[in-house]
Amino acid sequence: MDQVLALLRAGGGRVTSSRRILLEVLFDADGHLTAEELAEAVQARAPDIHLSTIYRNLDELQRLGVVLHSHLGHGPATYQLAANAHAHFICEGCGAVVEAPVRLFSGLARSVKSDLGFVIDPRHFAILGRCSACAQESRRHRP
Amino acid sequence: MDQVLALLRAGGGRVTSSRRILLEVLFDADGHLTAEELAEAVQARAPDIHLSTIYRNLDELQRLGVVLHSHLGHGPATYQLAANAHAHFICEGCGAVVEAPVRLFSGLARSVKSDLGFVIDPRHFAILGRCSACAQESRRHRP
DNA sequence: GTGCTTGCAAACGTTTTGCAGACTC
DNA sequence: GAGTCTGCAAAACGTTTGCAAGCAC
């Protein structure tokens, strides 16, 4: 947290209360928060902080590599600390978000690298599919 | 193509010229077309067909399982015939779209299934990363 | 004091929707 | 003729931006 503030200052940025509070919220949260949810949490402590400020601060924190966002399914993006980053699977049946360690992707990463020369970043977009409950469900309907 | 029209009728739907033309465009295209691009191609043959009609028809064709859409990076969704579906990798450096056979995901699919019980569909969201050119580029900057 | 940050309102790009008329079957 | 489909305009949604005032340094 203090490291992040120092990083901000090092880049010519200022430490403002909106940034401090946003970082506190991010450190407390478990990831998967949308900009709107973050704004709500921040506004619980400082009601005048505007949603657009949240977006601008999230952008800045992403530029610094502190935060990253992922697209889980179709809705708004969710933001999380880069240090806590993981991959996401979203169930198209029930909308459940399943977290997965990036390690699961190492095999894919290797073959994509050798076949296509492409270096993947599995954290940015979720992979869709069906969770175990919904997969069984659809197997029952269409066996 | 005729199968699709029959499928439409079987579900109580009507075969209209906008649907016929949209399907022709989809069968001619190589995938990766946004709704706007599809509208443009359709309007080359029938200028009065509205973008919202394209969206509605694409929805219908998705409900029938004929078409699916993928989210490639941050821009608009792209649509393609389900039969031609493949996975996508998007370069965050230059925006290149790299197609990949779904087969590349079979290892990941297996371990995700056994670890998390989750059945993946890798066609719906693209995986971001860096293409070989851009990966080398950033290695040169920060080796 | 310099110049980065903020609130606000207004715009943006993509997609969805309500409605009255037009069409397929 | 019944009921689906269409064009249009307007709204919805998440996100970005221009501006003048406010704040950190």
Side-chain angles (χ1 to χ4, degrees):
Chain A
M1 171 94 193
D2 283 344
Q3 287 174 43
V4 175
L5 298 182
L7 199 60
L8 251 175
R9 266 189 269 253
R14 272 108 205 243
V15 174
T16 63
S17 51
S18 79
R19 290 181 175 177
R20 214 189 305 262
I21 297 174
L22 175 58
L23 278 170
E24 284 166 17
V25 168
L26 281 166
F27 273 95
D28 282 2
D30 61 339
H32 304 149
L33 284 104
T34 65
E36 196 116 24
E37 289 165 346
L38 287 167
E40 218 170 294
V42 167
Q43 284 159 3
R45 306 192 206 176
D48 283 350
I49 295 178
H50 201 270
L51 179 57
S52 68
T53 299
I54 302 286
Y55 275 109
R56 284 193 269 230
N57 286 346
L58 286 170
D59 269 12
E60 178 68 17
L61 291 172
Q62 283 185 95
R63 214 169 302 126
L64 295 174
V66 174
V67 159
L68 47 80
H69 72 277
S70 341
H71 298 273
L72 311 187
H74 289 158
T78 62
Y79 296 82
Q80 61 212 277
L81 292 174
N84 298 348
H86 43 250
H88 296 99
F89 297 97
I90 312 293
C91 179
E92 292 176 305
C94 64
V97 178
V98 180
E99 300 184 10
V102 175
R103 160 181 55 72
L104 267 182
F105 286 79
S106 53
L108 175 69
R110 214 175 306 119
S111 45
V112 172
K113 181 74 166 59
S114 65
D115 285 22
L116 310 170
F118 196 94
V119 180
I120 72 174
D121 174 7
R123 303 165 309 179
H124 199 151
F125 268 80
I127 294 197
L128 301 198
R130 305 208 150 252
C131 72
S132 47
C134 291
Q136 274 175 34
E137 179 79 7
S138 49
R139 211 172 297 126
R140 217 175 6 258
H141 290 318
R142 171 172 37 85
Chain B
M1 172 93 193
D2 284 343
Q3 287 174 41
V4 175
L5 298 182
L7 199 60
L8 253 175
R9 266 190 269 254
R14 272 103 204 251
V15 174
T16 63
S17 51
S18 79
R19 290 180 176 178
R20 214 188 307 261
I21 297 175
L22 175 58
L23 278 170
E24 282 167 19
V25 169
L26 281 166
F27 272 95
D28 282 2
D30 61 339
H32 303 152
L33 285 105
T34 66
E36 196 115 24
E37 289 163 346
L38 287 167
E40 218 169 294
V42 167
Q43 283 160 3
R45 305 192 205 176
D48 283 350
I49 294 177
H50 201 270
L51 179 57
S52 67
T53 299
I54 302 287
Y55 275 110
R56 284 193 269 229
N57 286 346
L58 286 170
D59 268 12
E60 178 68 17
L61 291 172
Q62 285 186 94
R63 215 168 303 127
L64 295 174
V66 174
V67 160
L68 48 80
H69 72 277
S70 342
H71 298 274
L72 310 188
H74 289 159
T78 63
Y79 296 82
Q80 61 213 276
L81 292 174
N84 298 348
H86 43 250
H88 297 99
F89 297 96
I90 311 292
C91 178
E92 292 176 306
C94 64
V97 178
V98 181
E99 299 185 10
V102 175
R103 160 181 56 72
L104 268 182
F105 286 80
S106 54
L108 176 68
R110 213 174 308 120
S111 43
V112 172
K113 181 76 166 60
S114 65
D115 285 22
L116 310 171
F118 196 94
V119 181
I120 71 174
D121 173 7
R123 303 165 309 179
H124 197 151
F125 268 79
I127 295 196
L128 300 198
R130 305 209 150 250
C131 71
S132 47
C134 291
Q136 273 173 35
E137 178 80 9
S138 49
R139 210 171 300 123
R140 212 169 19 252
H141 290 319
R142 170 171 38 84

